[in-house]
Amino acid sequence: MNETRRPLIAGNWKMNRGGASGVALAGELAKLVSSLPHVDMVIAPPYTALAACAHECDGTRLEIAAQNVHAQQSGAFTGEISGAMLVEAGCRWVIVGHSERRQYSGETDEIVAEKVEASLRARLVPIACVGETIAEREGDRTLEVIERQVRAFIDIIDASDVPVAIAYEPVWAIGTGRTAGPSEAQEVHAAIRGWLGRKTTALASRTRILYGGSVKADNARALFASADVDGALVGGASLDAASFGAIARAAEALVPRAHSNEPA
Ligand code: 13P
């Protein structure tokens, strides 16, 4: 954590809690966030629960993300959802390029970049995901792969006045119970911030870089202690208010004393 960036804790519900149970969870978290003044908290329910969860969180500091967006603004794209529609449903954020979409839905670096651009055009804040597979890590290609993925959208986020988030999610750590150690995470986060910094120092200092992959209440604090880890993108542990709340509290507890008290 670093005193210039507010911690961001985002919950990716994936294909879970798309109805009334999601709205109930959003309600519990919306209450909880009032006791965490230094942390920004976001949930990403499935499309079917977005509007209802947004309604439930209205007037609270819990914000809503979509898990995906289409690159085009409108038209004959059966089954797709545009950025403007997400805004209308109450979203302020959108997860883009999650490894499950890269893996199962054929999203390439180019498609991810188009979606980052489409999100910003719609005034949504993208959480752009990057991450290496186990084969890439074992082949000593981690930084090469992450650099390629970040470079695909770096000019787009540099040209925007909206501060975006990048999530580093090693594919081998997602849903496996295996997490990158704090020093492994910090190494990649620092490299990402370095590439951003070669564009402008402002881009490097305003971009929040989240870690994702088996983040739980008991490993969150150690991960957040690293200088370039600005929060987490949480999967499984975000489906339970107590465990997601504990992760957010770990971030709150580490906020440097010099940090601004004002919510974003
Ligand atoms: P888990 O926290 O379940 O490993 O999922 C991480 C993730 O993919 C968040 O986007």
PDB file of all heavy atoms in Angstrom, residues 12 14 98 100 169 173-175 213-215 233-236, ligand 1:
ATOM      1  N   ASN A  12     -15.231 -10.227  -7.583  1.00  0.00           N
ATOM      2  CA  ASN A  12     -15.721 -10.760  -8.857  1.00  0.00           C
ATOM      3  C   ASN A  12     -16.566 -11.994  -8.547  1.00  0.00           C
ATOM      4  O   ASN A  12     -16.025 -13.048  -8.201  1.00  0.00           O
ATOM      5  CB  ASN A  12     -14.510 -11.123  -9.742  1.00  0.00           C
ATOM      6  CG  ASN A  12     -14.938 -11.747 -11.051  1.00  0.00           C
ATOM      7  OD1 ASN A  12     -16.121 -11.820 -11.370  1.00  0.00           O
ATOM      8  ND2 ASN A  12     -13.963 -12.210 -11.819  1.00  0.00           N
ATOM      9  N   LYS A  14     -18.247 -13.760 -10.537  1.00  0.00           N
ATOM     10  CA  LYS A  14     -18.270 -14.731 -11.643  1.00  0.00           C
ATOM     11  C   LYS A  14     -19.706 -15.199 -11.878  1.00  0.00           C
ATOM     12  O   LYS A  14     -20.625 -14.398 -11.765  1.00  0.00           O
ATOM     13  CB  LYS A  14     -17.281 -15.868 -11.362  1.00  0.00           C
ATOM     14  CG  LYS A  14     -15.878 -15.323 -11.038  1.00  0.00           C
ATOM     15  CD  LYS A  14     -14.802 -16.355 -11.014  1.00  0.00           C
ATOM     16  CE  LYS A  14     -13.466 -15.680 -10.706  1.00  0.00           C
ATOM     17  NZ  LYS A  14     -12.335 -16.602 -10.721  1.00  0.00           N
ATOM     18  N   HIS A  98     -10.556 -10.546 -18.141  1.00  0.00           N
ATOM     19  CA  HIS A  98     -10.288 -11.572 -17.125  1.00  0.00           C
ATOM     20  C   HIS A  98      -9.738 -12.825 -17.808  1.00  0.00           C
ATOM     21  O   HIS A  98     -10.145 -13.164 -18.920  1.00  0.00           O
ATOM     22  CB  HIS A  98     -11.578 -11.885 -16.363  1.00  0.00           C
ATOM     23  CG  HIS A  98     -11.318 -12.732 -15.154  1.00  0.00           C
ATOM     24  ND1 HIS A  98     -11.180 -14.096 -15.238  1.00  0.00           N
ATOM     25  CD2 HIS A  98     -11.149 -12.403 -13.852  1.00  0.00           C
ATOM     26  CE1 HIS A  98     -10.932 -14.568 -14.028  1.00  0.00           C
ATOM     27  NE2 HIS A  98     -10.905 -13.567 -13.165  1.00  0.00           N
ATOM     28  N   GLU A 100     -10.371 -15.828 -17.477  1.00  0.00           N
ATOM     29  CA  GLU A 100     -11.395 -16.805 -17.884  1.00  0.00           C
ATOM     30  C   GLU A 100     -12.027 -16.404 -19.218  1.00  0.00           C
ATOM     31  O   GLU A 100     -12.417 -17.253 -20.003  1.00  0.00           O
ATOM     32  CB  GLU A 100     -12.447 -16.951 -16.770  1.00  0.00           C
ATOM     33  CG  GLU A 100     -11.868 -17.745 -15.598  1.00  0.00           C
ATOM     34  CD  GLU A 100     -12.436 -17.389 -14.245  1.00  0.00           C
ATOM     35  OE1 GLU A 100     -13.494 -16.745 -14.168  1.00  0.00           O
ATOM     36  OE2 GLU A 100     -11.787 -17.764 -13.238  1.00  0.00           O
ATOM     37  N   GLU A 169      -3.469 -11.036 -12.099  1.00  0.00           N
ATOM     38  CA  GLU A 169      -4.029 -12.295 -11.628  1.00  0.00           C
ATOM     39  C   GLU A 169      -3.293 -13.458 -12.297  1.00  0.00           C
ATOM     40  O   GLU A 169      -3.620 -13.831 -13.429  1.00  0.00           O
ATOM     41  CB  GLU A 169      -5.518 -12.396 -11.985  1.00  0.00           C
ATOM     42  CG  GLU A 169      -6.375 -11.313 -11.371  1.00  0.00           C
ATOM     43  CD  GLU A 169      -7.837 -11.748 -11.250  1.00  0.00           C
ATOM     44  OE1 GLU A 169      -8.398 -12.263 -12.230  1.00  0.00           O
ATOM     45  OE2 GLU A 169      -8.383 -11.603 -10.152  1.00  0.00           O
ATOM     46  N   ALA A 173      -3.014 -19.122  -9.963  1.00  0.00           N
ATOM     47  CA  ALA A 173      -3.432 -18.828  -8.587  1.00  0.00           C
ATOM     48  C   ALA A 173      -4.942 -18.652  -8.467  1.00  0.00           C
ATOM     49  O   ALA A 173      -5.474 -18.501  -7.367  1.00  0.00           O
ATOM     50  CB  ALA A 173      -2.725 -17.563  -8.086  1.00  0.00           C
ATOM     51  N   ILE A 174      -5.651 -18.667  -9.612  1.00  0.00           N
ATOM     52  CA  ILE A 174      -7.087 -18.378  -9.578  1.00  0.00           C
ATOM     53  C   ILE A 174      -7.870 -19.632  -9.205  1.00  0.00           C
ATOM     54  O   ILE A 174      -7.809 -20.640  -9.914  1.00  0.00           O
ATOM     55  CB  ILE A 174      -7.567 -17.829 -10.938  1.00  0.00           C
ATOM     56  CG1 ILE A 174      -6.916 -16.465 -11.209  1.00  0.00           C
ATOM     57  CG2 ILE A 174      -9.087 -17.733 -10.975  1.00  0.00           C
ATOM     58  CD1 ILE A 174      -7.253 -15.859 -12.555  1.00  0.00           C
ATOM     59  N   GLY A 175      -8.559 -19.559  -8.077  1.00  0.00           N
ATOM     60  CA  GLY A 175      -9.423 -20.656  -7.652  1.00  0.00           C
ATOM     61  C   GLY A 175      -8.676 -21.915  -7.246  1.00  0.00           C
ATOM     62  O   GLY A 175      -9.271 -22.978  -7.085  1.00  0.00           O
ATOM     63  N   GLY A 213      -6.154 -13.777  -7.138  1.00  0.00           N
ATOM     64  CA  GLY A 213      -5.778 -15.190  -7.200  1.00  0.00           C
ATOM     65  C   GLY A 213      -5.694 -15.755  -5.805  1.00  0.00           C
ATOM     66  O   GLY A 213      -4.698 -15.570  -5.115  1.00  0.00           O
ATOM     67  N   SER A 214      -6.809 -16.387  -5.380  1.00  0.00           N
ATOM     68  CA  SER A 214      -6.878 -17.023  -4.060  1.00  0.00           C
ATOM     69  C   SER A 214      -6.588 -16.060  -2.905  1.00  0.00           C
ATOM     70  O   SER A 214      -5.968 -16.441  -1.908  1.00  0.00           O
ATOM     71  CB  SER A 214      -5.961 -18.253  -3.986  1.00  0.00           C
ATOM     72  OG  SER A 214      -6.381 -19.227  -4.931  1.00  0.00           O
ATOM     73  N   VAL A 215      -7.039 -14.810  -3.037  1.00  0.00           N
ATOM     74  CA  VAL A 215      -6.923 -13.872  -1.903  1.00  0.00           C
ATOM     75  C   VAL A 215      -7.975 -14.258  -0.875  1.00  0.00           C
ATOM     76  O   VAL A 215      -9.152 -14.442  -1.197  1.00  0.00           O
ATOM     77  CB  VAL A 215      -7.119 -12.407  -2.344  1.00  0.00           C
ATOM     78  CG1 VAL A 215      -7.078 -11.472  -1.133  1.00  0.00           C
ATOM     79  CG2 VAL A 215      -6.065 -12.000  -3.359  1.00  0.00           C
ATOM     80  N   LEU A 233      -8.478  -8.120  -6.338  1.00  0.00           N
ATOM     81  CA  LEU A 233      -9.652  -8.578  -7.085  1.00  0.00           C
ATOM     82  C   LEU A 233      -9.910  -9.998  -6.584  1.00  0.00           C
ATOM     83  O   LEU A 233      -9.112 -10.904  -6.811  1.00  0.00           O
ATOM     84  CB  LEU A 233      -9.383  -8.540  -8.595  1.00  0.00           C
ATOM     85  CG  LEU A 233     -10.543  -8.972  -9.497  1.00  0.00           C
ATOM     86  CD1 LEU A 233     -11.815  -8.186  -9.216  1.00  0.00           C
ATOM     87  CD2 LEU A 233     -10.156  -8.806 -10.972  1.00  0.00           C
ATOM     88  N   VAL A 234     -11.005 -10.146  -5.863  1.00  0.00           N
ATOM     89  CA  VAL A 234     -11.267 -11.369  -5.092  1.00  0.00           C
ATOM     90  C   VAL A 234     -12.364 -12.173  -5.772  1.00  0.00           C
ATOM     91  O   VAL A 234     -13.409 -11.622  -6.117  1.00  0.00           O
ATOM     92  CB  VAL A 234     -11.719 -10.986  -3.657  1.00  0.00           C
ATOM     93  CG1 VAL A 234     -11.901 -12.232  -2.802  1.00  0.00           C
ATOM     94  CG2 VAL A 234     -10.737 -10.007  -3.013  1.00  0.00           C
ATOM     95  N   GLY A 235     -12.156 -13.466  -5.938  1.00  0.00           N
ATOM     96  CA  GLY A 235     -13.194 -14.323  -6.505  1.00  0.00           C
ATOM     97  C   GLY A 235     -13.972 -15.013  -5.400  1.00  0.00           C
ATOM     98  O   GLY A 235     -14.855 -14.421  -4.779  1.00  0.00           O
ATOM     99  N   GLY A 236     -13.621 -16.262  -5.133  1.00  0.00           N
ATOM    100  CA  GLY A 236     -14.387 -17.095  -4.196  1.00  0.00           C
ATOM    101  C   GLY A 236     -14.697 -16.418  -2.862  1.00  0.00           C
ATOM    102  O   GLY A 236     -15.841 -16.483  -2.380  1.00  0.00           O
TER     103      GLY A 236
HETATM  104  P1  13P B   1     -10.250 -16.571  -6.639  1.00  0.00           P
HETATM  105  O1  13P B   1     -10.143 -15.498  -5.585  1.00  0.00           O
HETATM  106  O2  13P B   1     -11.439 -17.462  -6.440  1.00  0.00           O
HETATM  107  O3  13P B   1      -8.962 -17.323  -6.805  1.00  0.00           O
HETATM  108  O4  13P B   1     -10.516 -15.822  -8.042  1.00  0.00           O
HETATM  109  C1  13P B   1      -9.708 -14.771  -8.414  1.00  0.00           C
HETATM  110  C2  13P B   1     -10.300 -14.114  -9.597  1.00  0.00           C
HETATM  111  O5  13P B   1     -10.323 -14.668 -10.683  1.00  0.00           O
HETATM  112  C3  13P B   1     -10.882 -12.774  -9.415  1.00  0.00           C
HETATM  113  O6  13P B   1     -11.158 -12.176 -10.633  1.00  0.00           O
END
